Amino acid sequence: MMLVALAMLVTGWFLPTFKLERFILGSDEYSIWQTVTGLWQDKSYILSVIIFFFSMVFPATKLGLMGWLWFSHTQEDERDRVLHWLGILGKWSMLDVFVVAILIVLVKASSLMDASAMYGIYIFAAAIALSMIVTSLIERLAKKG
């Protein structure tokens, strides 16, 4: 399940997550990666770093820690420390999905543009949800062991 979550996560970074349709000028589709790089190019460095951190670094780190925990032979105190950090990371897991949802709602409020969610956001959200399930399973197994 971890490998499936990782594949879905990486795929979700590059698939279109939302589409902006302008009144006269047509439409554009944006992926998470395009959003991060576009904000960086527009010199919105802080916003670019925030989205990069919460959408890419947090979920990848969480899956990396879970993989390390699953495949390594760790002492109980080290395992508990990693599980503690996974719990902290897990609390922030869906933040970026909510940010995209809020963006879509805000754009829909404008009379000059419309926004809609694209399939990439669903794959990305499924990857985050699957990683949360895997974390829960690993925590349960660790408590039994």
Side-chain angles (χ1 to χ4, degrees):
M1 284 198 311
M2 267 186 277
L3 293 176
V4 171
L6 180 62
M8 291 172 69
L9 179 67
V10 173
T11 301
W13 289 340
F14 298 101
L15 290 177
T17 54
F18 65 96
K19 180 180 191 177
L20 291 179
E21 295 181 42
R22 290 178 210 76
F23 180 61
I24 297 175
L25 302 173
S27 64
D28 291 312
E29 296 175 354
Y30 296 95
S31 67
I32 293 170
W33 180 248
Q34 287 171 318
T35 302
V36 168
T37 57
L39 287 168
W40 188 267
Q41 290 169 352
D42 289 342
K43 297 183 178 26
S44 297
Y45 301 121
I46 294 173
L47 192 54
S48 177
V49 168
I50 289 170
I51 292 173
F52 176 74
F53 192 68
F54 283 106
S55 298
M56 301 179 99
V57 173
F58 258 29
T61 301
K62 183 178 175 183
L63 284 171
L65 284 171
M66 283 190 296
W68 176 77
L69 190 63
W70 184 256
F71 291 110
S72 69
H73 300 286
T74 59
Q75 298 296 324
E76 187 176 345
D77 60 333
E78 188 175 9
R79 181 188 67 215
D80 291 342
R81 190 172 57 245
V82 172
L83 286 171
H84 170 75
W85 282 105
L86 284 173
I88 291 171
L89 289 175
K91 290 177 180 153
W92 295 94
S93 292
M94 293 298 279
L95 179 67
D96 40 354
V97 176
F98 293 128
V99 168
V100 171
I102 289 169
L103 174 68
I104 290 170
V105 169
L106 289 174
V107 171
K108 283 186 175 284
S110 167
S111 60
L112 299 177
M113 284 195 285
D114 190 27
S116 55
M118 301 281 299
Y119 51 94
I121 194 66
Y122 300 111
I123 291 173
F124 183 78
I128 299 299
L130 185 58
S131 75
M132 292 168 79
I133 291 168
V134 170
T135 302
S136 177
L137 291 172
I138 288 175
E139 285 175 341
R140 263 192 244 149
L141 288 171
K143 287 178 183 175
K144 286 182 180 179

